[in-house]
Amino acid sequence: MFSQQLFFSITVSLILTMIMIPILIPIMKYLKYGQSIREEGPTSHYRKSGTPTMGGLVFVFSSVLTLAFYYLFYADTLDANWNVLTLLFFPFIAFSIIGFIDDYLIVVKKNNQGLQPLIKIILELIIAALFFRMYLKLGFNTTLSLFRFTVDFKWFYGVLIFFMLIGTANGVNLSDGLDGLAGGLAAIAIATFTFFAFKARHVEVMLAGGAVFGSILGFLIFNLYPAKIFMGDTGSLALGAFLAAMAILLKREWMLILVGGVFVIETLSVILQVTYFKRTKGKRLFRMTPIHHHFELIGISETRVVLLFYIVGIIFSFLAILMTLI
């Protein structure tokens, strides 16, 4: 029964996404909601200018619809806590809204900066605080376990939640620079935590993870090279926040660093580049960051870079699964 529920969640979301994307693409083209390519980026990306964006909207709609269908078909045998599902989807939807506003300002209002960083951080802080309050209200504990050690973080757990949500959201966002890269990496990571939920019989995280995973698979059909649509910040911020929420609710917080290892590397490459640039007064550690652009500029094709990063992402996830089996 448990595996049947997971199969239903993935399949329905996949089908819904495959139906929605072909409808969304011409609408976005008609509205001229096309991607703007930054001038300092690789010149090979200029041809992508005008490709429809904000495709991440489909992640939210297909996932929520999938759970609605699940309720209709499995109402008699329903064993999911819908308060937990609400908690899980809250940051997913909220960060998607932040991303949508950012995309809208850039694509429609032609404001290249989008949301001001300070405003974005404040909004993310508010979402994290609300998430933490809901988390406590539902009776989840504030402990963090690592191997045989368990520490109660108490109120500081809210700070940890903030860093997990914004760190992962922005890590996925930084990885969204090549066709299919962020989507594929997010699919690998979310599939891993869905596996953990399946093993733990955590039905809410499993159902939600399956729904979002299915929606990403459907999206990748149109997002792999050459991409017909991009997810935009609308999708990347949402996927990152959802991934962090899965780790938090499964009480596998520390494992987020390993499963999301590629996102960590992408983020560190930017931090190292900026720090090195400032300290050496103009020198660069990499040709361009995030680091996937560095590999492009040394002559590796876009599709091979994406494949390489997929492999690394799978290795990280395999190691995480192996550690839970030992």
Side-chain angles (χ1 to χ4, degrees):
M1 182 63 180
F2 216 64
S3 57
Q4 183 182 349
Q5 291 172 334
L6 178 58
F7 179 77
F8 178 94
S9 182
I10 294 172
T11 305
V12 172
S13 186
L14 170 64
I15 292 171
L16 285 173
T17 303
M18 290 173 64
I19 293 171
M20 289 181 186
I21 293 291
I23 296 172
L24 183 63
I25 289 175
I27 293 174
M28 290 301 186
K29 285 183 177 179
Y30 176 77
L31 295 173
K32 296 182 180 180
Y33 286 4
Q35 182 72 34
S36 298
I37 304 300
R38 56 176 184 160
E39 292 183 2
E40 65 272 21
T43 56
S44 61
H45 288 207
Y46 292 168
R47 59 179 173 73
K48 300 182 182 184
S49 183
T51 302
T53 188
M54 299 187 199
L57 287 169
V58 176
F59 298 149
V60 174
F61 286 113
S62 63
S63 299
V64 172
L65 276 175
T66 296
L67 292 179
F69 282 127
Y70 176 86
Y71 179 81
L72 290 174
F73 284 97
Y74 288 95
D76 295 336
T77 58
L78 197 63
D79 54 356
N81 185 331
W82 293 95
N83 287 327
V84 176
L85 279 171
T86 300
L87 176 61
L88 191 56
F89 272 94
F90 169 66
F92 181 53
I93 295 172
F95 272 75
S96 180
I97 292 171
I98 292 175
F100 178 81
I101 295 171
D102 203 30
D103 285 335
Y104 183 83
L105 290 174
I106 294 172
V107 175
V108 181
K109 295 299 182 180
K110 306 303 179 184
N111 178 351
N112 290 331
Q113 292 185 338
L115 266 178
Q116 293 181 14
L118 179 60
I119 294 175
K120 187 182 287 188
I121 288 292
I122 291 172
L123 289 173
E124 292 172 345
L125 178 58
I126 292 170
I127 293 167
L130 290 172
F131 178 88
F132 185 46
R133 185 180 178 189
M134 294 165 66
Y135 178 89
L136 293 176
K137 195 172 181 180
L138 286 174
F140 284 94
N141 63 60
T142 54
T143 60
L144 187 67
S145 298
L146 181 59
F147 300 111
R148 297 181 181 180
F149 301 96
T150 300
V151 180
D152 191 346
F153 276 55
K154 300 186 186 304
W155 64 268
F156 191 74
Y157 193 83
V159 178
L160 178 64
I161 282 176
F162 172 70
F163 281 109
M164 287 180 70
L165 286 174
I166 69 164
T168 313
N170 288 286
V172 177
N173 182 246
L174 286 172
S175 301
D176 189 26
L178 302 179
D179 295 0
L181 180 59
L185 290 173
I188 294 166
I190 288 171
T192 304
F193 278 107
T194 302
F195 171 75
F196 293 149
F198 180 84
K199 269 191 65 183
R201 291 298 189 262
H202 200 310
V203 67
E204 298 86 7
V205 178
M206 183 198 73
L207 287 175
V212 176
F213 175 70
S215 70
I216 299 173
L217 290 184
F219 178 77
L220 283 172
I221 294 172
F222 304 92
N223 182 241
L224 289 173
Y225 184 88
K228 297 177 178 62
I229 189 169
F230 297 135
M231 68 173 70
D233 287 6
T234 308
S236 59
L237 292 180
L239 292 178
F242 181 78
L243 182 59
M246 290 182 81
I248 292 165
L249 293 181
L250 288 172
K251 302 304 296 176
R252 294 184 181 272
E253 300 92 342
W254 65 270
M255 201 164 278
L256 183 63
I257 298 172
L258 182 57
V259 176
V262 177
F263 302 131
V264 174
I265 292 170
E266 292 272 44
T267 304
L268 286 176
S269 72
V270 174
I271 295 172
L272 289 172
Q273 180 86 320
V274 172
T275 304
Y276 188 78
F277 186 85
K278 288 181 178 179
R279 294 203 171 185
T280 59
K281 297 180 180 180
K283 292 183 180 180
R284 297 177 186 274
L285 195 59
F286 306 104
R287 291 198 178 184
M288 185 179 293
T289 55
I291 199 168
H292 56 256
H293 289 317
H294 171 80
F295 286 102
E296 273 193 291
L297 293 178
I298 63 174
I300 304 176
S301 68
E302 180 174 347
T303 52
R304 289 195 175 187
V305 174
V306 171
L307 180 60
L308 172 65
F309 277 48
Y310 281 1
I311 292 171
V312 175
I314 290 170
I315 291 172
F316 280 135
S317 288
F318 176 76
L319 289 173
I321 292 171
L322 193 62
M323 289 179 71
T324 63
L325 298 176
I326 295 175

